[in-house]
Amino acid sequence: MKLDIKPLQTLLLSLTLACAGSALATTGSSSTLIRDLTIFDATGKAPYTADVLIQNGRFQAIGPKLSAPADAKIIVGKGLSMLPGLIDVHVHWINMGGVSRADIASQLLLSGVTTATDFHSAPESYAPKRDYHQQLLSPHVIYTARTGVPGGHGTDWGDETITRLASSEQEANAAITQLAPFQPDMIKVFADGWRYGNPVNRNSINPDALAAVVNAARKQNLPVVTHTVTVNGAKLAATAGVTAIVHAIQDREADDELVALLQKNKVFYAPTLAVYEPRPGRTANVSAAQEHLTALRQAASRKNLQRFAKAGIAIALGTDAGINSTFFGESSLRELELLVEFGLTPTEALIAGTANSAAVLGLQQDRGTIEIGKRADFVLVKGQPWQNIADYRNNKYVFVDGNMLVKQGQLTTAQGPALPTATVAPAMLDDFERADNLTLTLASRQADLDFGFPRSQLLTQRVPRDSGGMALLLSAKMAIKEEPKALIVLPASPGAFTPINATGFNGVQFEARGDSQQYLIELVSTTGVVSKTFNASQHWQQLKLAFGDFSTTTNATANNTQFSAENIIAIKVGAKRAAGDVFWLELDNVGFY
C-alpha cells in the first residue's frame, strides 16, 4: 500500500526524535541477531525469510545467513514472524480504575504497542514525565498538546491547563506560541462539537482558527490531528490541511466532496473503532432509541471506512484508549481486528497500525517499517497476521529500541515505580511574590471549576498588601447549575506530576481574608482527596489546619484509597456557593507548619 506523506510530516531526525519520548536507553553497542525469520516489513512487499541484525537500537542488516558480531546475542527465529510494533495515535493516559502510568506502559507493551500518543497530559508535565519514563519499561510516548474552543468538547472540564482555547486566528497563534516551550510532539484540536446525535451538542471550531492552528504548528514541524466525527466537520478539517482525523465520521455517509478533499490534502483517517464498539457492559442499560442510533452510526462508520480505503485515503490506527472503558493495549489489538471486520484486508490493517501511523506522527523515516537504519521497534509472533489478523495477539517477544522488553508474554524485568519519587515538601508553597504566575515550586497556578457548561468563572490577580508584599485575589461568579465551584489550584510541582512528601509537617497554614462566608480547602494526593471548610472575615488572619482535621471527599480517586501526606500533588482553595452567587478571597503565604 502506498503511503501518503505530507510535507508537514518531513522528519528533522536529529531534533525531533530527541523529543519523541524514547522509552528506554539503548544498551551501548550490544548486538542481537535473529536468524531464519519470516518478516512482514510493512513496506508493501510480500513476507520473506531472512536474518535480522540489530545494533545500537536500529536495524543494521537484513538478509540471508548474516555473520554474527562477536558480542551478538543470537535468537532462533524459526517458526516466528517479525512485524513492526503497533503505533496507536489516539491514547489517553488516564488513571482508569486505579491503573497507574506504569501499569499503562506495561499493558501497551504486552500487546505489542511500541509507540503511543499521550492525549491527556498538561504541557507543564511533559518534561517530568519524559524523565519518569526513563525509569520504566515503556513504549515511546508522543506528547500531544490539546486545543479547543470555548464551550466545545474537550474544554468542558478544568481550565486551560490541558486544553488551550482558540476561537480565532489570533488566539490560535497565541496558543501554539505558548505551547512551544514545552516541546509537544503533536497538536490535537477538538474541532467538532457534534455529540453523536445527543440533544446537547458542543461548539465547533471556526475555520480561521483551525487554519491558524495548522499553519502555526506546521512552522514548528508538528502534526495536527482533530477530534472530528461529522461529514461537515471532516470537510472543515481537510480544508484546513490537518494531518489526520482521529475519530470515525459517523453522522452520515461521506459525499464526493469530502472524499475529494481528503484525497487532495492527503489527510490520514484513524477511525477509533474500538471506543465505539457496542460490546457487553456498555449496552446493558441502553434504550431501544439509543441502540438504534448506535446502529446507524456504526453503519455510517463502516461504509465511510470502506469508501475512504477504496479511494486511497491512508488509514491509521487509533483507539481512544482510556475513554469509556477502552482498555490500554487490548483495544489496539481489537482495533486491528475491527479494521478487518469493517472491510480492510489483514495486510492493510497491519500497514495502518504501523507504517501509516508512523507517518501520522511525522516519524515515517524513523519507525513503522522493518528497514535498515530504522528504529528496532518490533514484535515476534507465532503465526501469520497478514493472513489471520488475530495472530498478532500471539506476540511472544516485544522489542523497543532493540531492547527485549517482553519475552514469552511477560515483561523481561520488573516494571519501574508506579509513581515518581516524592521530593521533600517546602515549608512555603506559594507566597505570590513571583510575577510570572508560578508557585515557589515553579508550577503554574491552575483553576478547578465545575464540569460542563455553563461554567463558573474565576479571575485571579496579585494585589499589594498594606503590610507589604503581594497576595492573590480570587474573584468568582458561580454558574447557574447544581453544585457550582471555583478553586485556585497550587500544584506541588510542574503539571502536578511529581509529588511532595509533607509528613515532616503537622498540617497546612495560610493567611486569608474574605467575605465572612464559608470557603473550602482541598489537599490532593496521588491516592485521594481530603477537604475542610473555613471562614475568612474581611480582616487578615492566619489559619493552621492539621492534616487530621481534613475529611475524605467524594473526589477521592477511583480505587477509593485514602489521602496520604507522603504524596501531595496540589492544594486547592476557593468555594462552593449557591448558583449565581459571587465571592472574593485573598490568600497569602500558603504552606505547611
Side-chain angles (χ1 to χ4, degrees):
M1 180 181 292
K2 185 178 179 180
L3 298 183
D4 290 308
I5 307 301
K6 295 171 65 100
L8 166 63
Q9 298 162 318
T10 301
L11 188 62
L12 299 177
L13 201 57
S14 61
L15 177 62
T16 304
L17 295 184
C19 302
S22 181
L24 207 65
T26 306
T27 54
S29 60
S30 61
S31 304
T32 300
L33 180 62
I34 309 176
R35 293 201 179 279
D36 201 19
L37 280 164
T38 300
I39 300 171
F40 179 93
D41 63 15
T43 66
K45 293 190 299 187
Y48 59 94
T49 301
D51 297 346
V52 178
L53 176 63
I54 299 157
Q55 290 183 318
N56 299 316
R58 295 186 177 270
F59 296 114
Q60 181 67 28
I62 302 172
K65 298 180 180 179
L66 296 178
S67 298
D71 66 345
K73 177 181 179 179
I74 308 297
I75 296 176
V76 177
K78 189 173 180 62
L80 295 175
S81 298
M82 173 185 279
L83 299 93
L86 292 179
I87 298 173
D88 195 326
V89 303
H90 196 149
V91 178
H92 294 263
W93 292 64
I94 298 176
N95 184 338
M96 183 174 61
V99 174
S100 71
R101 196 170 182 88
D103 293 331
I104 295 171
S106 298
Q107 292 170 12
L108 291 169
L109 282 176
L110 291 170
S111 297
V113 178
T114 54
T115 297
T117 56
D118 180 347
F119 279 9
H120 222 87
S121 285
E124 258 200 318
S125 71
Y126 294 169
K129 284 177 179 175
R130 284 172 172 136
D131 290 341
Y132 168 67
H133 272 264
Q134 296 301 317
Q135 305 174 56
L136 302 181
L137 303 180
S138 174
H140 301 283
V141 182
I142 304 301
Y143 293 92
T144 305
R146 299 160 38 137
T147 61
V149 294
H153 176 57
T155 66
D156 41 13
W157 56 275
D159 60 359
E160 291 191 63
T161 303
I162 291 184
T163 308
R164 297 297 201 274
L165 300 181
S167 58
S168 67
E169 181 179 353
Q170 292 87 345
E171 286 186 333
N173 287 325
I176 301 303
T177 298
Q178 293 165 4
L179 289 167
F182 304 109
Q183 297 184 316
D185 302 308
M186 188 163 70
I187 304 295
K188 176 184 178 179
V189 183
F190 290 94
D192 196 330
W194 187 70
R195 303 307 299 142
Y196 313 116
N198 292 331
V200 177
N201 288 328
R202 304 302 188 201
N203 294 340
S204 295
I205 197 167
N206 295 326
D208 59 340
L210 181 56
V213 169
V214 172
N215 292 333
R218 181 176 290 119
K219 293 176 182 177
Q220 297 184 29
N221 298 294
L222 296 175
V224 177
V225 301
T226 57
H227 171 105
T228 304
V229 292
T230 65
V231 170
N232 288 339
K235 291 177 182 178
L236 173 66
T239 300
V242 304
T243 309
I245 292 169
V246 291
H247 273 304
I249 306 303
Q250 53 193 279
D251 65 324
R252 57 189 170 93
E253 292 183 34
D255 54 25
D256 293 342
E257 180 187 13
L258 174 56
V259 173
L261 282 170
L262 294 172
Q263 291 172 322
K264 176 184 176 182
N265 294 307
K266 299 181 179 178
V267 178
F268 289 81
Y269 182 64
T272 61
L273 304 177
V275 77
Y276 299 120
E277 184 179 18
R279 55 182 184 266
R282 290 184 177 177
T283 57
N285 299 312
V286 172
S287 67
Q290 289 172 318
E291 187 174 351
H292 178 66
L293 178 61
T294 298
L296 291 177
R297 285 166 39 200
Q298 287 289 90
S301 175
R302 182 185 299 268
K303 290 183 178 179
N304 288 338
L305 175 61
Q306 293 171 353
R307 184 171 184 185
F308 294 160
K310 185 177 180 180
I313 294 159
I315 310 302
L317 184 146
T319 59
D320 214 3
I323 301 297
N324 199 16
S325 298
T326 306
F327 298 106
F328 304 103
E330 162 60 29
S331 62
S332 304
L333 297 171
R334 184 60 184 147
E335 188 76 15
L336 281 179
E337 295 165 351
L338 288 169
L339 288 172
V340 173
E341 288 183 21
F342 273 49
L344 300 190
T345 68
T347 292
E348 289 171 337
L350 290 171
I351 290 176
T354 55
N356 285 1
S357 291
V360 167
L361 305 180
L363 299 175
Q364 66 275 5
Q365 296 180 22
D366 177 66
R367 69 193 73 171
T369 59
I370 297 172
E371 297 180 274
I372 293 173
K374 289 196 174 182
R375 197 178 292 271
D377 296 348
F378 62 92
V379 298
L380 301 180
V381 307
K382 189 75 173 178
Q384 298 179 329
W386 54 91
Q387 293 183 356
N388 177 18
I389 196 65
D391 282 355
Y392 201 100
R393 292 180 176 273
N394 300 328
N395 67 76
K396 303 300 182 183
Y397 300 85
V398 180
F399 285 73
V400 177
D401 286 339
N403 296 303
M404 184 193 297
L405 303 187
V406 174
K407 180 179 181 180
Q408 298 300 334
Q410 301 291 327
L411 296 179
T412 52
T413 62
Q415 183 55 283
L419 295 171
T421 303
T423 60
V424 177
M428 183 72 69
L429 185 59
D430 201 343
D431 59 8
F432 309 107
E433 297 303 316
R434 296 180 64 101
D436 55 7
N437 193 41
L438 299 181
T439 67
L440 293 177
T441 57
L442 305 182
S444 294
R445 302 180 196 111
Q446 305 167 7
D448 180 17
L449 306 172
D450 34 74
F451 179 82
F453 306 108
R455 166 154 322 142
S456 296
Q457 301 173 28
L458 177 65
L459 296 176
T460 62
Q461 66 181 106
R462 295 167 61 250
V463 295
R465 292 185 60 172
D466 292 341
S467 59
M470 305 297 288
L472 187 71
L473 170 63
L474 283 63
S475 302
K477 181 179 181 181
M478 299 291 97
I480 307 297
K481 64 194 308 181
E482 293 184 4
E483 299 184 355
K485 67 176 181 177
L487 299 96
I488 188 71
V489 182
L490 306 177
S493 66
F497 181 63
T498 303
I500 56 176
N501 186 335
T503 55
F505 298 93
N506 295 320
V508 178
Q509 68 176 358
F510 57 95
E511 297 170 40
R513 73 184 191 101
D515 57 16
S516 301
Q517 296 189 55
Q518 193 173 80
Y519 296 93
L520 178 70
I521 180 169
E522 293 184 347
L523 303 182
V524 185
S525 78
T526 57
T527 56
V529 182
V530 290
S531 66
K532 182 173 175 53
T533 59
F534 65 93
N535 289 89
S537 71
Q538 296 186 21
H539 302 287
W540 281 104
Q541 58 182 316
Q542 185 180 60
L543 293 98
K544 291 188 175 182
L545 308 176
F547 290 136
D549 292 339
F550 286 77
S551 60
T552 303
T553 74
T554 55
N555 295 326
T557 50
N559 55 4
N560 205 30
T561 55
Q562 297 299 307
F563 167 85
S564 170
E566 293 180 349
N567 292 290
I568 291 176
I569 58 173
I571 296 177
K572 302 180 182 181
V573 186
K576 294 181 179 179
R577 298 281 178 88
D581 277 3
V582 297
F583 77 79
W584 66 272
L585 176 69
E586 287 188 36
L587 285 176
D588 203 3
N589 300 324
V590 181
F592 303 96
Y593 73 95

